[in-house]
Amino acid sequence: MINHARLTSVLAATAIASLLLAPTPVHSQAWPTRPVTLIIPFAAGGPTDIVGRTLAVALGKALGQGVVIENRVGAGGTVAAAYVAHAVADGYIFFLHHNGMASATALYRKLPFDPLTDFEYVGQVADVPMTLIARKDFPPSDMKELIPYLQKNSDKINLANAGLGAVSHLCGMLLQQAIGANFTTIPFSGTAPAMNALLGGQVDLMCDQTTQTIPQIKSGAVKFYGVTTRNRIKALPDAPTLSEQGLNDFQMVVWHGIYAPKGTPKEIMQRMNAALRSALKDADVVARLGELGVEVVPESKQTPEGLQSWLKLEIERMGPLIRAAGTFAD
């Protein structure tokens, strides 16, 4: 004779055991169970790559897994951005990009991704000041002499940049707009060849990041006119800003943010954000970045909301400048 009470008890126990043994969704398992990839959209050894590699070690410590750098170069960062936008959203692909994430919306009339809808946001990372430098034998000795010299000789000035859409390109556009001049712009395939051309005297002027220029400035290999931040920077405390030397409210900073493919699980994004916050407090990271003039952003910006709102503001700021210049990458 069937004992219904006992049968019910056995079935209930079996059901509970089945639930406990059933495979759980991937995103709710311990993450990460293997190395995480951080995509860098520029060449190894460049400014963004330096920031990414410095950060990767501390991120790895916070996550308990290695963070592998993968450089996917091309089209001012849009090749890498498109790759990430269409990558599997499993929590193992992240993306470090700078201002190019915002400027691409104006530079490219046909963009294979939307920065505002095709990504998840981890948070902002760090700001890199720009510097205005020239070949060592460039005639003007300071900004007081430089501005009228550029205005008078604009048709003879060669302005180097690291490629169409690079922040050095945007900074050069902003400079020309600020002083009402048009130079001959020479794009290179990256920061290193542009700097080599300047050091060799093949070009006159360049706006570039402190990660690349501080050694050249301190050695006297280039002529240095000032920094592009609103306030003076710790790495070059005696260097005046362009704003305080007559270019009122001139500001161009290379800002960095970390993104993931749209749909990356919320709990993974939260853990990655916690890892980012931890990494940005790491003494070795802060010291290494500080040597290069890179400044960790305030905690209020190290959030998904902080990055998303800043990206929107930068799209609104840079779009009109690029469209007014009529310079497009496609």
Side-chain angles (χ1 to χ4, degrees):
M1 188 173 179
I2 298 174
N3 186 324
H4 292 285
R6 180 174 176 77
L7 179 60
T8 301
S9 177
V10 170
L11 290 174
T14 302
I16 292 171
S18 298
L19 288 172
L20 291 174
L21 293 174
T24 55
V26 172
H27 61 76
S28 64
Q29 293 177 1
W31 173 91
T33 58
R34 55 186 170 85
V36 172
T37 297
L38 181 63
I39 305 291
I40 305 290
F42 304 104
T48 301
D49 183 72
I50 291 172
V51 172
R53 290 180 190 273
T54 301
L55 190 64
V57 176
L59 281 173
K61 285 195 293 186
L63 292 172
Q65 277 284 355
V67 175
V68 179
I69 298 295
E70 181 180 327
N71 299 89
R72 283 185 172 261
V73 182
T78 59
V79 168
Y83 169 79
V84 174
H86 299 98
V88 176
D90 60 0
Y92 289 94
I93 294 287
F94 291 89
F95 178 45
L96 176 70
H97 200 4
H98 63 28
N99 311 47
M101 195 69 155
S103 62
T105 59
L107 276 170
Y108 292 85
R109 288 163 291 191
K110 293 182 180 179
L111 201 60
F113 61 88
D114 187 330
L116 294 175
T117 61
D118 290 344
F119 299 88
E120 303 290 350
Y121 306 91
V122 177
Q124 283 194 64
V125 177
D127 292 336
V128 186
M130 303 287 283
T131 54
L132 183 61
I133 56 176
R135 55 184 167 83
K136 190 175 181 179
D137 59 350
F138 201 52
S141 58
D142 55 28
M143 280 296 291
K144 186 177 180 181
E145 294 180 3
L146 180 66
I147 294 174
Y149 182 88
L150 295 178
Q151 291 170 331
K152 183 178 179 180
N153 300 282
S154 64
D155 59 331
K156 302 174 184 143
I157 303 297
N158 291 323
L159 176 69
N161 64 54
L164 192 63
V167 185
S168 55
H169 171 223
L170 301 176
C171 185
M173 291 172 63
L174 192 62
L175 174 65
Q176 293 174 82
Q177 184 187 68
I179 66 173
N182 289 299
F183 310 137
T184 298
T185 300
I186 303 179
F188 288 82
S189 59
T191 294
M195 177 63 78
N196 289 337
L198 189 75
L199 294 173
Q202 285 86 46
V203 293
D204 301 312
L205 202 64
M206 184 165 71
C207 191
D208 202 7
Q209 303 175 48
T210 54
T211 45
Q212 298 294 301
T213 62
I214 282 180
Q216 311 297 348
I217 291 168
K218 290 186 174 180
S219 70
V222 297
K223 189 163 284 188
F224 172 49
Y225 295 105
V227 295
T228 64
T229 48
R230 284 202 174 96
N231 302 306
R232 297 192 181 196
I233 64 174
K234 295 177 183 177
L236 296 168
D238 298 324
T241 68
L242 299 188
S243 184
E244 68 183 270
Q245 296 183 90
L247 297 184
N248 296 332
D249 204 32
F250 189 101
Q251 184 185 32
M252 181 58 72
V253 175
V254 185
W255 55 271
H256 298 78
I258 295 182
Y259 308 80
K262 189 72 174 179
T264 300
K266 184 178 180 180
E267 55 267 39
I268 289 178
M269 295 301 297
Q270 290 171 339
R271 281 205 57 197
M272 190 63 175
N273 178 259
L276 174 63
R277 288 169 177 267
S278 175
L280 293 178
K281 291 177 182 175
D282 185 285
D284 291 338
V285 171
V286 174
R288 171 61 179 150
L289 293 180
E291 291 171 2
L292 300 170
V294 183
E295 300 180 356
V296 171
V297 298
E299 288 191 23
S300 61
K301 290 187 174 184
Q302 299 170 18
T303 63
E305 297 78 17
L307 175 56
Q308 186 176 31
S309 62
W310 184 254
L311 177 61
K312 288 179 180 178
L313 287 174
E314 283 290 278
I315 288 174
E316 293 169 0
R317 183 171 84 102
M318 297 309 302
L321 173 66
I322 294 168
R323 283 187 283 269
T327 303
F328 303 102
D330 58 2

